[in-house]
């Protein structure tokens, strides 16, 4: 019950802070609205907050799915850990935005919703999830590294706290994926 309350609390806090922004089109996701024309990376520190919050929301939803449906206990634990860490990250981002006089209201893009739905229905959900998380953690680490020297001290402090956690999760996801590949290779060899 306690594990469920943290993500629900974070989502409720995000919903309370929602405000309509006329410059955003209906149905657009906050990550897309917060990106720079080149490479899809945030253009400024405010956009960074929105982009990171949207990324956190996606990882929370994927983590909840893994914690509920994964067969491998390591994948279940990884998913639960991601939910806990990304929820804490989102709360930090919300506080930074509040201090700057704004709010964050991340939403899942249609593509992210579709990806989560497809993952939910996969037979090999564990492997697909971990493969996805390797990519997500790498992308998040790269984005954080771009802002390690941000002018905004709250953002640079957030990056210094968050980057080591993301790097550790990236290493852990790679290790789990490597172990899964070895297990599959061993099964293939034993069936020959």
């Amino acid at each position: 019950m306690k594990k469920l309350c943290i993500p629900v609390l974070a989502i409720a806090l995000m919903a309370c802070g929602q405000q309509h922004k006329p410059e955003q089109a209906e149905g657009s996701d906050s990550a897309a609205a917060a990106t720079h024309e080149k490479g899809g990376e945030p253009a400024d520190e405010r956009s960074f907050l929105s982009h990171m919050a949207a990324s956190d929301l996606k990882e929370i939803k994927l983590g909840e799915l893994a914690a509920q449906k994964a067969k491998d206990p390591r994948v279940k634990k990884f998913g639960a850990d991601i939910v806990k860490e990304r929820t804490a990250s989102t709360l930090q981002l919300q506080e930074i935005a509040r201090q700057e006089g704004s709010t964050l209201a991340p939403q899942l893009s249609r593509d992210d919703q579709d990806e989560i739905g497809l993952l939910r229905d996969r037979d090999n959900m564990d492997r697909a999830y971990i493969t996805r998380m390797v990519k997500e953690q790498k992308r998040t680490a790269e984005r954080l590294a771009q802002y390690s020297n941000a002018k905004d001290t709250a953002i640079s402090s957030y990056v210094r706290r968050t980057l080591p956690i993301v790097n550790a999760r990236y290493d852990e996801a790679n290790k789990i994926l490597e172990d899964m590949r070895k297990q599959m290779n061993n099964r293939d060899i034993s069936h020959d």
Side-chain angles (χ1 to χ4, degrees), residues 19 32 77 88 94 98 105 107 143 161 165 172:
Q19 64 183 164
K77 182 181 180 321
Q94 290 277 15
R98 187 191 64 72
Q107 297 176 358
R143 188 173 301 123
R161 284 189 311 268
I165 295 167
E172 182 181 358

Side-chain angles (χ1 to χ4, degrees), residues 45-188:
E45 292 174 357
R46 172 70 182 127
S47 296
F48 169 79
L49 294 175
S50 296
H51 204 219
M52 289 302 301
S55 176
D56 281 354
L57 180 59
K58 178 181 179 181
E59 288 188 35
I60 289 168
K61 294 298 184 186
L62 288 168
E64 288 171 342
L65 180 63
Q68 293 169 3
K69 295 198 169 237
K71 295 174 183 151
D72 185 322
R74 296 172 306 164
V75 176
K76 276 187 177 286
K77 182 181 180 321
F78 186 92
D81 290 345
I82 285 290
V83 169
K84 181 180 173 185
E85 291 165 3
R86 293 291 149 253
T87 299
S89 170
T90 299
L91 292 173
Q92 291 171 23
L93 292 167
Q94 290 277 15
E95 180 59 23
I96 294 168
R98 187 191 64 72
Q99 289 172 0
E100 293 179 356
S102 61
T103 59
L104 293 176
Q107 297 176 358
L108 290 175
S109 69
R110 172 56 61 197
D111 288 343
D112 290 345
Q113 292 173 22
D114 291 347
E115 180 182 343
I116 293 166
L118 289 172
L119 189 62
R120 180 180 292 115
D121 298 334
R122 292 197 55 171
D123 290 335
N124 60 346
M125 197 275 301
D126 292 21
R127 184 180 170 116
Y129 169 74
I130 285 296
T131 300
R132 183 80 218 139
M133 292 312 294
V134 167
K135 293 174 186 171
E136 291 293 328
Q137 299 311 298
K138 181 178 181 183
R139 185 178 324 161
T140 300
E142 290 169 350
R143 188 173 301 123
L144 287 167
Q146 289 180 339
Y147 284 86
S148 59
N149 296 317
K151 293 175 189 171
D152 185 318
T153 57
I155 290 176
S156 61
S157 177
Y158 165 81
V159 169
R160 282 192 305 276
R161 284 189 311 268
T162 307
L163 188 55
I165 295 167
V166 171
N167 284 334
R169 287 289 163 230
Y170 174 72
D171 292 343
E172 182 181 358
N174 266 319
K175 175 72 172 123
I176 293 170
L177 185 59
E178 180 182 316
D179 290 347
M180 287 178 164
R181 288 178 179 147
K182 286 178 184 176
Q183 287 174 343
M184 287 184 69
N185 288 339
N186 289 341
R187 274 190 237 139
D188 290 345

